[in-house]
């Protein structure tokens, strides 16, 4: 295990300035390279305490900027057009990169690392996804996955596409049965 000082809030780990113990791989591969933490040595502790007020002011400024962006982007919904089977299962899944690109098209510059997917999106429909603009500020974004733009409009209005599709199939079956009965009556 290794001790590090957090340079910003890290979800499920701690607040800025906390000294925490983490596994070496987590520190080496994630916390240290991303600048979210520094090694907890005596010299780093002294340097952090000297710079703490400045670091907290920078963090507060970034947080306020993120809050302003979050207010502007409240209620954002993005549409992704994908191929899917009859049951609504996607051929593949929607990734964080896909969502980040769609959000960029909507006017918010984010990276795929800021997209927090609880589980992969593998079906058509509406899904709530969280975008972390700052370690302390996140916004919900509705991801509308559909086969066509028309289907996406219907989903966003809350229409049940499966019921509509089943009704259409039933009417086609009724037409086919009527034609077959007409053919059967004509051949007699």
């Amino acid at each position: 295990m290794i001790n590090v000082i957090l340079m910003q809030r890290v979800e499920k780990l701690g607040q800025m300035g906390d000294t925490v113990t983490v596994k070496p791989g987590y520190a080496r591969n994630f916390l240290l390279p991303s600048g979210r933490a520094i090694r907890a040595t005596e010299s780093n502790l002294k340097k952090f305490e000297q710079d703490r007020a400045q670091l907290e002011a920078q963090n507060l400024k970034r947080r306020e900027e993120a809050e302003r962006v979050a207010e502007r982007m409240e209620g954002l919904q993005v549409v992704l057009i994908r191929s899917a089977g009859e049951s609504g299962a996607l051929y593949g899944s929607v990734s964080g990169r896909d969502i980040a690109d769609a959000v960029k098209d909507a006017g918010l510059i984010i990276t795929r690392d800021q997209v927090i997917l609880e589980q992969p999106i593998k079906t058509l429909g509406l899904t709530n996804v969280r975008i972390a603009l700052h370690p302390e500020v996140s916004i919900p974004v509705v991801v509308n996955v559909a086969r066509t733009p028309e289907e996406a409009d219907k989903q966003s209005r809350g229409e049940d596409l499966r019921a509509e599709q089943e009704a259409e199939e039933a009417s086609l079956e009724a037409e086919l049965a009527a034609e077959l009965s007409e053919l059967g009556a004509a051949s007699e």
Side-chain angles (χ1 to χ4, degrees):
M1 300 301 268
I2 189 170
N3 289 331
V4 295
I5 304 166
L6 297 179
M7 300 300 284
Q8 66 184 41
R9 180 182 179 273
V10 178
E11 199 168 318
K12 299 180 183 168
L13 193 57
Q15 300 293 329
M16 174 190 266
D18 290 353
T19 302
V20 295
T21 303
V22 296
K23 292 184 178 180
Y26 184 53
R28 185 176 54 248
N29 298 324
F30 178 67
L31 294 175
L32 297 174
S34 66
R36 292 183 170 120
I38 57 174
R39 289 186 184 274
T41 62
E42 200 61 42
S43 60
N44 280 347
L45 266 170
K46 286 179 184 172
K47 183 167 175 25
F48 178 79
E49 288 304 324
Q50 289 173 351
D51 298 341
R52 184 179 197 125
Q54 181 183 359
L55 290 169
E56 286 178 350
Q58 288 173 348
N59 184 47
L60 183 64
K61 183 179 177 187
R62 286 194 307 267
R63 182 174 154 209
E64 288 171 352
E65 289 172 4
E67 286 172 346
R68 283 196 298 275
V69 170
E71 287 173 9
R72 274 197 351 251
M73 303 306 285
E74 195 170 318
L76 178 65
Q77 181 172 340
V78 295
V79 176
L80 296 171
I81 305 300
R82 295 287 185 268
S83 306
E86 289 296 317
S87 65
L90 297 179
Y91 301 132
S93 65
V94 174
S95 68
R97 176 178 281 146
D98 298 329
I99 296 168
D101 291 343
V103 171
K104 279 181 192 171
D105 294 342
L108 176 64
I109 306 300
I110 64 166
T111 63
R112 68 181 179 165
D113 299 336
Q114 291 175 296
V115 177
I116 297 157
L117 278 172
E118 303 299 325
Q119 57 199 19
I121 300 173
K122 296 186 176 191
T123 59
L124 296 173
L126 302 174
T127 306
N128 287 318
V129 174
R130 201 166 51 104
I131 308 293
L133 299 175
H134 181 271
E136 300 170 27
V137 179
S138 64
I139 59 171
V141 172
V142 176
V143 178
N144 187 344
V145 183
R147 291 185 189 104
T148 63
E150 296 79 27
E151 192 175 279
D153 287 343
K154 288 179 182 179
Q155 283 181 170
S156 65
R157 287 193 303 265
E159 294 179 22
D160 185 8
L161 297 176
R162 288 196 178 98
E164 189 177 300
Q165 188 176 9
E166 288 170 4
E168 187 177 315
E169 287 173 3
S171 71
L172 287 174
E173 286 177 12
E175 285 178 30
L176 184 61
E179 286 179 21
L180 287 174
S181 67
E182 286 177 14
L183 288 173
S187 65
E188 289 177 6

